[in-house]
Amino acid sequence: MRRLIVTEFMTLDGVVEAPGGEPTHPHAGWTMPYGTDALYAFKLRETMEAESLLLGRKTFEGFSAAWPGRDGEFADKMNAMPKLVAASGTGDLGWNATRIQGDVRTAVADLKEGDGGPILVAGSATLVRSLLVWGLVDELRLLTYPVMVGGGLRIFPDDREKWSFELAELERFDSGAVLHVYRLAGS
C-alpha cells in the first residue's frame, strides 16, 4: 500500500495560492522572503523520497512550464518522476505525465492500493480538497509562513465534517516558517 502525502505552502490565513510568484494573486510570491537552506533541504528530501507526483490540472500546467528548463538535483527528480494528473481532455500531457482516466476518486484509491513508494501531491488546491473529503490523504505536510494575504485558494473542505489528526512532526525554520506534519488519527 502506498502513502498519499499532501505538501502545501500555506499562509497564516490558510491560503495556498501563488506561493512562488504565479500571476493569479495580488500578493504572489509570498514564500520568497522566508526561504532558508534548511527549508530548501527539507523540500529536497521530501521530493527525493517520493516515487511519483499526483497533481491537479492548474498545478501541473504551472510545474510543466517551469521545471523542464531547470537543472540540479531537485529539478532532475521533478522532471524524472512519473506524474498522474487530474485533468479532462485526451491530448498528450508530456513531461512524463499520465492523465487520470475515469473517476478520480477510484483511480487514486487504486493507485494507493498498488506497490511502490509515496505519492506526493503539491499545490493542487481543488484536488487536495476532494482527496481530504474522500479520506484518501495519509499525511498532511503544511509549511506555514508568517504572513497573511487576505484571501485566496484554500485546501480545507467547508463541509462541517470533523477530521482528527495527530501531530507527527514539528519543525521551525529560522525565517519563522513552520512545518507541521499531521497524520489522520488512528491510521
Side-chain angles (χ1 to χ4, degrees):
M1 177 139 184
R2 300 177 69 185
R3 289 184 316 133
L4 187 117
I5 300 167
V6 168
T7 183
E8 296 288 346
F9 295 133
M10 183 176 291
T11 64
L12 288 175
D13 51 348
V15 174
V16 298
E17 182 180 357
E22 302 81 349
T24 59
H25 196 282
H27 302 295
W30 45 264
T31 63
M32 298 309 180
Y34 305 100
T36 67
D37 288 343
L39 190 150
Y40 298 138
F42 160 72
K43 291 305 288 181
L44 176 61
R45 217 172 32 254
E46 172 183 73
T47 302
M48 297 305 283
E49 291 169 358
E51 185 175 288
S52 61
L53 287 172
L54 171 62
L55 302 169
R57 180 188 55 83
K58 289 181 184 176
T59 300
F60 173 78
E61 288 172 355
F63 281 12
S64 66
W67 286 108
R70 297 180 186 182
D71 57 11
E73 191 175 14
F74 190 94
D76 292 347
K77 176 68 175 188
M78 287 291 286
N79 289 324
M81 250 193 299
K83 294 140 194 102
L84 188 61
V85 183
S88 59
T90 57
D92 181 37
L93 295 171
W95 197 46
N96 202 19
T98 303
R99 189 181 317 271
I100 291 176
Q101 300 297 319
D103 181 67
V104 173
R105 181 180 189 173
T106 301
V108 173
D110 289 348
L111 183 66
K112 286 183 60 176
E113 289 297 322
D115 293 328
I119 305 158
L120 192 62
V121 183
S124 308
T126 302
L127 174 61
V128 168
R129 197 174 309 110
S130 294
L131 293 170
L132 285 166
V133 168
W134 297 333
L136 294 174
V137 175
D138 297 301
E139 186 170 293
L140 279 173
R141 296 179 181 172
L142 307 177
L143 192 50
T144 306
Y145 289 78
V147 62
M148 294 193 313
V149 295
L153 293 176
R154 291 174 169 84
I155 61 166
F156 300 114
D158 191 19
D159 62 0
R160 304 263 178 158
E161 290 292 322
K162 180 180 176 185
W163 299 86
S164 296
F165 290 84
E166 298 171 342
L167 182 64
E169 185 179 334
L170 181 65
E171 183 175 354
R172 183 191 186 280
F173 297 96
D174 290 342
S175 64
V178 178
L179 171 66
H180 302 85
V181 177
Y182 293 100
R183 294 193 183 109
L184 202 55
S187 61

